[in-house]
């Protein structure tokens, strides 16, 4: 087990299976003893530096810190900070690490969290780095699967949509590489999972991978249907986006082909990938998933700050 205390969280690749089980256990333990942990971050300040839009990630990190008794500072848009005047990420990080005990960073560049960590005196948590990774989203996704399906090993898990630019599916694939799962990667050809992610999973050797473009044929096999948004803002060519923007949509007519206990997940925000008509069916768990985000981020913050022993 690698202790998380004082460490940066940059990539989902940094976690072993043992680490993941430890994180999941803590997320559940804190939830079961909310009162006991409600003051454990007293006197500590978390900085949230968000250079890209966010609703769930920033607010669940901030809510987690506040519910653990800590305080929060930061910005939710680069346009209101000195970034607008041309300040580099390195200088911003050097400064904010003098004011805070922990930095949560979202940035449009792949590799930004690694770069930031080099200049920070306090731990840096990657809350989304370009089209690279989003490790804490994948931790909450794993918690969701564990709690809603009762296990992770043995499941048929489908990642659907933009597997090229989607950072959540990169990190989730890295985490799932620690489990014996059947992974179905469903995307149009131009949005296939990146080679660097495929190579990592293949090297780990636990996962059985199936790549396909066939949504309808694959859905009936799946225990977990993980829908994703086509990442419009990452496309170099807007015409290419137009070609694939509505490629896979989960609609009412698909309910009949689901396995009875299948769970439909989405990191959100959704655009057209999931029809609101299915929001109230028991299989649709994407709003519950947002609550699991709060649970997991409490565990992440506390373990990085070394307050849970
Ligand atoms: C995702 C992100 O920012 O990568 N959202 C999130 O953090 N829940 C997914 C997306 O933007 O499509």
């Amino acid at each position: 087990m690698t202790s998380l205390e004082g460490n940066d969280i940059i990539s989902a690749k940094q976690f072993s299976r043992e680490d993941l089980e430890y994180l999941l256990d803590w997320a559940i333990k804190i939830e079961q003893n909310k009162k006991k942990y409600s003051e454990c971050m007293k006197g500590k300040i978390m900085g949230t530096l968000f250079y890209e839009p966010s609703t769930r990630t920033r607010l669940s990190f901030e809510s987690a810190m506040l519910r653990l008794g800590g305080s929060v500072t930061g910005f939710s848009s680069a346009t209101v900070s000195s970034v607008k005047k041309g300040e580099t990420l390195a200088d911003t990080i050097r400064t904010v690490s003098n004011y805070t005990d922990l930095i949560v960073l979202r940035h449009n560049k792949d590799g930004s969290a690694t770069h930031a960590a080099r200049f920070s005196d306090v731990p840096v948590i990657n809350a989304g780095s370009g089209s690279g990774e989003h490790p804490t989203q994948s931790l909450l996704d794993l918690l969701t699967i564990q709690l809603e399906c009762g296990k992770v090993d043995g499941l048929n898990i489908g990642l659907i949509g933009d597997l090229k630019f989607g950072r959540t599916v990169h990190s989730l694939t890295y985490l799932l590489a620690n489990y014996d799962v059947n992974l179905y990667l469903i995307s149009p050809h131009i949005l296939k999972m990146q080679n660097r992610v495929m190579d990592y999973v293949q090297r780990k050797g636990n996962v059985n991978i199936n790549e396909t473009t066939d949504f309808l044929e694959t859905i009936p096999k799946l225990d977990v249907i993980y829908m994703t948004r086509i990442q419009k803002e990452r496309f170099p060519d807007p015409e290419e986006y137009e070609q694939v923007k509505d490629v896979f949509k989960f609609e009412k007519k698909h309910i009949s082909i689901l396995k009875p206990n299948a769970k439909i997940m989405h990191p959100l925000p959704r655009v057209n990938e999931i029809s609101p008509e299915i929001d109230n069916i028991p299989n649709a768990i994407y709003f519950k998933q947002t609550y699991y985000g709060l649970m997991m981020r409490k565990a992440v913050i506390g373990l990085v700050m070394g307050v849970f022993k």
Side-chain angles (χ1 to χ4, degrees), residues 52-54 56-57 106 127 134 137 167-168 229 231 233-234 266-269 297:
E52 277 195 337
S54 170
R56 278 148 289 270
T57 305
R106 169 168 288 189
H134 193 349
Q137 176 70 42
R167 55 196 175 197
T168 69
R229 178 177 69 89
Q231 308 280 298
E233 66 278 27
R234 315 264 184 232
H266 194 306
L268 302 178
R297 285 173 175 133

Side-chain angles (χ1 to χ4, degrees), residues 261-280:
N261 288 324
K263 306 294 178 196
I264 304 168
M265 296 173 61
H266 194 306
L268 302 178
R270 69 172 146 185
V271 186
N272 291 322
E273 323 67 71
I274 300 181
S275 159
E277 283 177 342
I278 68 147
D279 290 355
N280 294 323

Side-chain angles (χ1 to χ4, degrees), residues 204-217:
K204 281 266 198 172
N206 301 317
V207 173
N208 182 9
I209 303 188
N210 310 271
E211 278 189 293
T212 174
T213 55
D214 201 329
F215 178 73
L216 279 182
E217 189 200 78

